[in-house]
Amino acid sequence: MTTSFEDRILAERARMRGSIEALQKRSIEYARGERSRGILLKTLAYESTGHLDFALFDCPPVLDYGKGALVYDVDGNEYIDLHAGFTVNVLGHGNREVNEAMKAQMDRLNHFAELPVESRAELARILASRHPGDFEKKVMWAVTGGEAVEICIKLARWYTGKQIIVTHWGDYHGRTAGAMALTSKAFMMAYSYPIPPADTAVVRIPFPYCYRCPFGKEYPACDLFCADQFEKMFESKETWLNNPRAGVTNVAAMLIEPFQSSAGYLISPLPYLKRMKEIAEKYDYLFISDEVQNGMGRTGKLWAIEHAGVAPDLIAIAKSICNGLPLSAVTGRKEVLDSWGPGAHSSTFTAYPTACAGGIKVFEIFDRDRILEGAAEKGSYFLAGLEEMARRRPSIGHYNGLGLYLSIELVSDRKTKAPAGDATAWASRELLRQGVICMTSGYLYNRLCFAPPLVIEKEQIDRALNILDRVLSQMERQFEIGG
């Protein structure tokens, strides 16, 4: 029998909310020093519990300062940063050149809503020139990644005159009302109560999560079965997507993460991405790459989609453009971005001069210091360390990486692939205690994700791998994995 509203909702709300007393207890018990403990308790006293800090960690570190790929809390504890603030700090913490460039601009003019300034125009030129493809490009500015995605949605529908956006189950595209309609996280949807994101013209397809293929296939022997299944949807009049007899498609765009970030740093087969672009061209809709978390050099190329040799019509960019201040953009085809008239979309803090000055300096350093090449080289070094570790650690069921975008999936049994969710949570807490900050994610709560600043040193990678190996050894004993 289905549970009634009265018996269901209050109990579910209690589980989702937790209690302030429980968070205070965790802060008192697990804080790594008196100053940290005091600040955590002050945070709980005056900030909403709806923030992310206590969702990321049982007891989040209270950071004080950072340098490069190292951060320090207010009690002096050092951490190797394999998180980079969700990939924001691409050139590391405390980058003097970027900070000085932003300060110099701030001293001249920090903000004047949406008016042209030199730093904004120059960064637009740089970003347009870095969008792949042999066609004219332009830029539309925004502030956050979610807003950049909303621009992509609105632009695609406006330009094509079509309704449907196709995306993947497991993609993360933001939490604003429009972007949330494309984000597939159950706990986030639960908070959109009682009215869910009201976009009904969204179609989701399975992501090519080859380690746990939803079709029960094995890559590459499957010959991209998932892509074939998607294309077959266009051959029927009963799927919303297409009327084959009339030759009319209802799709405005495919908007996807080329690699899934929030879902666990999952790298899709590169031929799959190429095939998705071919299907978009065949049925005449836009192909949009959400690179908010895996762009800006993270994977060893400026844009993750470039690994597949694909030139998307639009790219959503954010987080790491200026190494720390909020700034986002949509780059892409001139004819699409110029289909809007003046004032079609605006935001008060869009492309404010200080952030743009920082972005110009970031690209200057990228070119001068060969940051992309370094990310690719150090990423291969990091991946080789994970590969060697996987040969010795029965808890590592799967690992992947491109550049400094890496993850491992923890299992209690390699043969059955039984997820080790509780063990992963334990490992995350212990890694933090031993001085490594990383992300915990995964469809089944069992992936550890690694995204350090691109300036991390090999010696720091070695230290992080040694700590990870030690923690996994302790975890395997604690949870009797592979014994």
Side-chain angles (χ1 to χ4, degrees), residues 261-294:
S261 297
S262 182
Y265 277 41
L266 298 165
I267 297 175
S268 54
L270 301 181
Y272 171 86
L273 297 172
K274 193 174 184 69
R275 180 76 178 280
M276 290 297 104
K277 180 62 162 66
E278 290 170 351
I279 296 171
E281 291 175 350
K282 180 177 179 179
Y283 291 98
D284 195 24
Y285 56 85
L286 298 177
F287 183 83
I288 305 172
S289 187
D290 180 345
E291 304 253 354
V292 168
Q293 193 163 161
N294 49 40

Side-chain angles (χ1 to χ4, degrees), residues 364-378 454:
E364 179 187 315
I365 295 170
F366 263 47
D367 294 341
R368 184 195 70 203
D369 296 348
R370 299 176 63 83
I371 295 296
L372 297 182
E373 293 86 346
E377 179 192 355
K378 287 180 280 192
L454 304 187

